[in-house]
């Protein structure tokens, strides 16, 4: 099936009829502003300012109903910018009331600000009117209501991103601490984040402490916290290096306290990461087609959880290309006359989804025989650059994910192999 974006755009425009009251809402933290227009863009009624609470939401609902009755409209559609997280409660409340809720791209709102009055002015009332204009012109996207499992994945994967940042930050600071206090430590433990290195830093971190110990003390310390120890040679090397260390000799107590806090943060982030990933694995079991997707060799639970957390139910997508647009991975170009600009990806979509699709494709190229063969064919036969081949394979992965989810069928390697012409 060929997917044409223009067909979808026409459907969005045609969906707005002369029976529609089109409402635009400018979202803020405490106070929202609503404006209304008809399908031709003629302003209807006065602006409404309402609070971000149930009483304010109810006032918006009553305002919409009054305008519908007074002007003879039979239905309504409400558009808003997905500004941070402030829009979520309003959109869910309106959806529960049976109101059609759509979102508009903030980039397009900014570009359309001068259409009404040909000025650079900006205000909440004007922004609400611009959003209403964009909705009646078909520049909107439907909000896909998600089930409990997909909502849990979105929250868990968002939380995981925060934990990973903390884990990386603490690991980087531990590396810096080692470089300042005991730089020779890396000659014994190449990876400072390894279990042996972390245990050593926890028990006797500074050269001053190591110089006062013998090999037996170090080995016994390791045995108290580790089942498998680094060994006598590393213990001897630690003591030897500590005697000639060029690390700082000042503020030892402050440095030790700093390291203790860093190790506590590292341990906490590690435990939290394991907990979140275990929960992701449990949630995936509640999604009917997840086992089919995990049957694709190279696709992990973490990357699948990240993708489904951003997309919701993949079976609701009409085509893999619509998934690419959702991620901002569709191609755009700028051309005029004889001049033709470079074709690039738009990046007008969900950045986290782009990241997980990219990481999933890298994993497939490394571990999946079919994708590995496709990548090799693109690079060696078609002479593509490696990154261009990866971006092309992201499109194939998107179509594969949507196809498996829509049909709820198992992964079929034969459908993925490239049709390489015979020599």
């Amino acid at each position: 099936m060929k997917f044409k974006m223009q067909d979808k755009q026409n459907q969005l425009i045609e969906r707005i009829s002369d029976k529609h009251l089109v409402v635009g809402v400018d979202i803020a933290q405490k106070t929202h502003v609503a404006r209304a227009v008809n399908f031709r863009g003629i302003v209807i009624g006065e602006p409404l300012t309402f609070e971000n609470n149930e009483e304010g939401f109810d006032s918006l609902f009553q305002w919409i109903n009054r305008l519908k009755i007074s002007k003879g409209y039979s239905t309504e559609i409400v558009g808003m910018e997905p500004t941070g997280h402030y829009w979520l409660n309003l959109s869910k409340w309106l959806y529960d009331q049976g109101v059609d809720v759509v979102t508009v791209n903030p980039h397009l709102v900014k570009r359309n600000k001068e259409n009404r009055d040909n000025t650079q002015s900006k205000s909440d009332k004007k922004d609400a009117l611009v959003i209403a204009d964009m909705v009646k012109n078909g520049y909107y996207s439907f909000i896909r209501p998600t089930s409990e499992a997909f909502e849990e994945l979105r929250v868990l994967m968002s939380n995981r991103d925060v934990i990973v940042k903390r884990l990386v930050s603490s690991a980087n600071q531990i590396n810096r601490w080692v470089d300042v206090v005991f730089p020779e430590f890396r000659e014994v433990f190449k990876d400072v984040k390894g279990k042996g290195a972390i245990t050593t830093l926890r028990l006797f971190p500074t050269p001053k402490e190591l110089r006062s110990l013998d090999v037996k003390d170090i080995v016994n310390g390791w045995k108290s916290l580790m089942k498998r120890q680094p060994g006598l040679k590393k213990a001897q090397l630690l003591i030897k290096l500590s005697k000639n260390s060029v690390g700082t000799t000042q503020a030892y107590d402050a440095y030790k306290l700093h390291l203790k806090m860093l190790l506590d943060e590292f341990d906490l982030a590690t435990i939290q990461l394991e907990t979140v990933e275990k929960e992701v694995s449990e949630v995936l079991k509640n999604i009917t087609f997840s086992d089919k997707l995990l049957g694709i060799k190279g696709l992990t639970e973490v990357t699948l959880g990240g993708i489904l957390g951003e997309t919701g139910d993949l079976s609701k997508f009409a085509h893999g290309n619509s998934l690419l647009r959702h991620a901002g991975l569709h191609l755009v170009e700028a051309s005029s006359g004889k001049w033709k600009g470079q074709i690039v990806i738009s990046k007008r979509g969900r950045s986290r989804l782009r990241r997980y699709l990219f990481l999933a494709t890298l994993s497939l190229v490394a571990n999946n025989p079919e994708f590995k063969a496709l990548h090799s064919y693109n690079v060696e036969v078609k002479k593509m650059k490696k990154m261009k081949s990866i971006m092309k394979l992201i499109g194939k992965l998107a179509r594969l994910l949507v196809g498996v989810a829509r049909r709820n069928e198992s992964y079929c390697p034969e459908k993925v192999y490239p049709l390489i012409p015979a020599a």
Side-chain angles (χ1 to χ4, degrees), residues 25-33 49-60 80 83 85-93:
V25 180
D26 183 64
I27 299 293
Q29 183 179 20
K30 295 182 178 180
T31 306
H32 310 314
V33 177
T49 301
F50 61 99
E51 298 293 325
N52 187 25
N53 52 41
E54 186 175 10
E55 184 179 347
F57 296 169
D58 187 63
S59 68
L60 172 65
M80 60 187 71
T83 307
H85 55 273
Y86 302 127
W87 66 284
L88 292 171
N89 293 335
L90 176 59
S91 64
K92 290 179 180 178
W93 190 91

Side-chain angles (χ1 to χ4, degrees), residues 153-277:
L153 281 178
R154 186 183 66 82
V155 174
L156 287 170
M157 294 308 297
S158 177
N159 188 24
R160 182 183 181 277
D161 278 357
V162 175
I163 294 171
V164 168
K165 287 180 182 178
R166 287 173 39 224
L167 183 62
V168 171
S169 175
S170 59
N172 289 340
Q173 291 183 73
I174 291 172
N175 274 284
R176 178 190 177 278
W177 189 97
V178 169
D179 290 336
V180 173
V181 179
F182 193 6
E184 297 81 7
F185 187 81
R186 296 182 189 280
E187 296 183 31
V188 183
F189 299 102
K190 292 183 180 180
D191 184 9
V192 177
K193 304 187 298 296
K195 191 172 182 179
I198 292 294
T199 302
T200 304
L201 290 174
R202 185 174 282 114
L203 292 172
F204 16 78
T206 64
K208 183 179 179 180
E209 291 173 280
L210 286 167
R211 285 195 290 266
S212 63
L213 301 174
D214 57 30
V215 174
K216 187 176 180 181
D217 294 329
I218 295 175
V219 172
N220 288 337
W222 283 339
K223 285 183 179 179
S224 66
L225 295 179
M226 301 173 64
K227 291 183 178 180
R228 297 180 61 185
Q229 300 82 41
L232 290 173
K233 290 185 178 180
K234 288 195 173 183
Q236 292 170 348
L237 184 57
L238 269 175
I239 295 174
K240 179 182 177 181
L241 292 172
S242 67
K243 294 178 179 178
N244 300 300
S245 176
V246 296
T248 184
T249 58
Q250 295 180 317
Y252 260 20
D253 291 339
Y255 274 114
K256 287 178 66 175
L257 178 61
H258 185 207
L259 178 62
K260 181 180 182 304
M261 292 180 175
L262 291 176
L263 291 174
D264 289 344
E265 174 67 16
F266 182 84
D267 292 341
L268 177 61
T270 302
I271 294 171
Q272 289 178 340
L273 184 62
E274 292 174 356
T275 303
V276 168
E277 291 183 350

